[in-house]
Amino acid sequence: MKIAAITGVRQAKLIEKDKPSLQEGWALVKVHAAPMCAEYKAFVGGHASDCLGHEAAGEVVEAAPGSKVKVGDRVVVMPQYPCGKCELCLVGDYIYCEHNLPHYEPTMTQYLSKPSWLLAKIPDGISYEKASLACCGLGPSHGAFNKLGVDAFTTVLITGLGPVGLGAIVNARFRGARVIAVESNEYRVELARRMGVEHIIDPRDPDAVSRIKALTGGKGPDCGLECSGAVPAHRLQIDAVKRQGKIAFVGECFAETTIKISDDLLRKGISLIGSWHYNLNEFPYLMKVIEQSPLTDLLVTHTYPMSQIQEAFEESSKQLSGKIILKPWE
């Protein structure tokens, strides 16, 4: 089978690998749609790897004994290889499992194997491309908005309009929430406007916080969703949201950030929430967003045959895109 690989600085190609074997209760998925995420960073940095991607949708072509899916099922492949037995896994919060299996397979591939309970069935009428948005395209913000209680009475501040932040706009507007966004990338600012976001603040504006507050009668947004992973965005969110507001962080960040316990938490009373993905039991509701929201058409801006993996990575590295989806069999 063919899989995508980064082979050097700004170099990528397809290589051949053996098709994975199955364990009891697992299934083999023929991947039809593999969204790209932050792998472009490794492409730009020249970090060689043949294990790329963590998002996919496809068709079950083989099911081992004990599998919960059958051949022909159309499925979204959930991320990671959690144990499936701990308390978190059993209630659907598998993403936080502390006992991940020592197993990892790429999704930028033609075939992958997975524990069958992590293969969520795609409703009829939803394409593989659209269904694949149930991973990083729409998943992080869907889970975070559930924790934040975002609804039609909510004003939400979204910082960072990469694919995850753009997906957050889709989810927020589906819930009827008012969105204030923060972004400097003109391509993504324009895409957000096409999605119906009226107020988009440039984070380089020294008066960004006061401008955001002015849009909410001076008190600040009800809650915030931080998608950029940028430390200045953490500070902006904390300074901008209203007193006793809530902020969820979904953007990866491994740098140190500054939180003032007394001024930010005790005096202001805000809640800071870490949110990585969504509870597996929420999958049917996310499918309704994908099925019913016309904005999902705007979220996917590019589709590439995986045979053009070099061109796909070059496009991704420009950061002038929404979600990019690879087609492994083209």
Side-chain angles (χ1 to χ4, degrees):
M1 68 177 188
K2 292 180 172 59
I3 70 171
I6 294 170
T7 57
V9 177
R10 304 188 76 89
Q11 294 180 340
K13 67 178 184 178
L14 299 186
I15 63 174
E16 291 284 343
K17 283 268 185 147
D18 292 335
K19 188 187 300 182
S21 58
L22 295 183
Q23 305 176 37
E24 182 176 356
W26 288 40
L28 186 70
V29 177
K30 180 180 180 179
V31 178
H32 289 287
M36 303 182 79
C37 193
E39 296 86 6
Y40 71 89
K41 296 178 181 178
F43 173 74
V44 172
H47 304 299
S49 175
D50 60 2
C51 200
L52 302 172
H54 47 268
E55 309 174 68
E59 173 191 0
V60 175
V61 293
E62 186 178 341
S67 177
K68 298 180 182 296
V69 295
K70 65 182 185 301
V71 172
D73 282 346
R74 301 167 65 248
V75 297
V76 174
V77 180
M78 293 294 123
Q80 300 195 100
Y81 288 81
C83 72
K85 300 176 182 178
C86 69
E87 181 180 357
L88 290 167
C89 286
L90 292 176
V91 298
D93 285 326
Y94 69 93
I95 199 73
Y96 302 110
C97 176
E98 293 183 277
H99 312 290
N100 265 301
L101 303 177
H103 184 105
Y104 187 83
E105 292 179 30
T107 57
M108 294 183 189
T109 178
Q110 292 182 319
Y111 292 102
L112 60 81
S113 65
K114 202 78 177 182
S116 60
W117 67 276
L118 290 169
L119 301 175
K121 295 180 183 179
I122 302 170
D124 292 341
I126 298 178
S127 69
Y128 288 118
E129 293 79 12
K130 286 283 192 73
S132 71
L133 296 175
C135 295
C136 291
L138 295 170
S141 54
H142 180 80
F145 286 164
N146 284 341
K147 294 174 183 176
L148 293 170
V150 172
D151 59 22
F153 301 99
T154 305
T155 296
V156 58
L157 175 66
I158 300 173
T159 46
L161 298 184
V164 172
L166 292 167
I169 293 173
V170 176
N171 276 317
R173 298 216 58 218
F174 187 80
R175 293 167 183 245
R178 180 191 184 204
V179 174
I180 300 172
V182 178
E183 178 57 65
S184 59
N185 181 313
E186 285 300 325
Y187 176 94
R188 289 169 171 168
V189 167
E190 176 57 29
L191 187 51
R193 293 199 189 283
R194 291 173 60 198
M195 289 180 169
V197 179
E198 182 180 355
H199 302 293
I200 304 175
I201 308 298
D202 191 325
R204 298 166 296 189
D205 185 341
D207 297 320
V209 171
S210 61
R211 289 188 61 195
I212 291 167
K213 287 188 173 183
L215 294 170
T216 58
K219 68 177 184 177
D222 300 301
C223 62
L225 183 68
E226 208 303 285
C227 305
S228 71
V231 172
H234 300 168
R235 188 72 253 162
L236 186 146
Q237 283 276 5
I238 290 170
D239 291 340
V241 297
K242 72 177 186 181
R243 290 179 175 268
Q244 294 193 312
K246 299 178 181 179
I247 303 167
F249 297 83
V250 299
E252 292 276 12
C253 178
F254 299 98
E256 291 187 8
T257 192
T258 301
I259 299 173
K260 304 171 185 176
I261 299 300
S262 291
D263 291 342
D264 297 338
L265 302 184
L266 301 186
R267 305 290 185 268
K268 197 170 181 181
I270 64 175
S271 299
L272 306 182
I273 302 168
S275 187
W276 196 2
H277 203 44
Y278 58 95
N279 186 291
L280 190 55
N281 295 305
E282 289 292 318
F283 180 81
Y285 300 100
L286 186 48
M287 283 292 106
K288 289 188 180 298
V289 178
I290 291 172
E291 184 177 32
Q292 298 176 19
S293 174
L295 299 184
T296 54
D297 291 327
L298 295 175
L299 182 56
V300 179
T301 58
H302 298 75
T303 301
Y304 280 92
M306 197 169 74
S307 58
Q308 296 180 13
I309 188 62
Q310 176 70 27
E311 293 90 336
F313 266 119
E314 288 173 355
E315 188 67 52
S316 182
S317 67
K318 294 176 186 175
Q319 296 295 277
L320 298 176
S321 61
K323 203 65 175 168
I324 300 174
I325 295 180
L326 298 176
K327 306 294 286 294
W329 294 90
E330 296 179 5

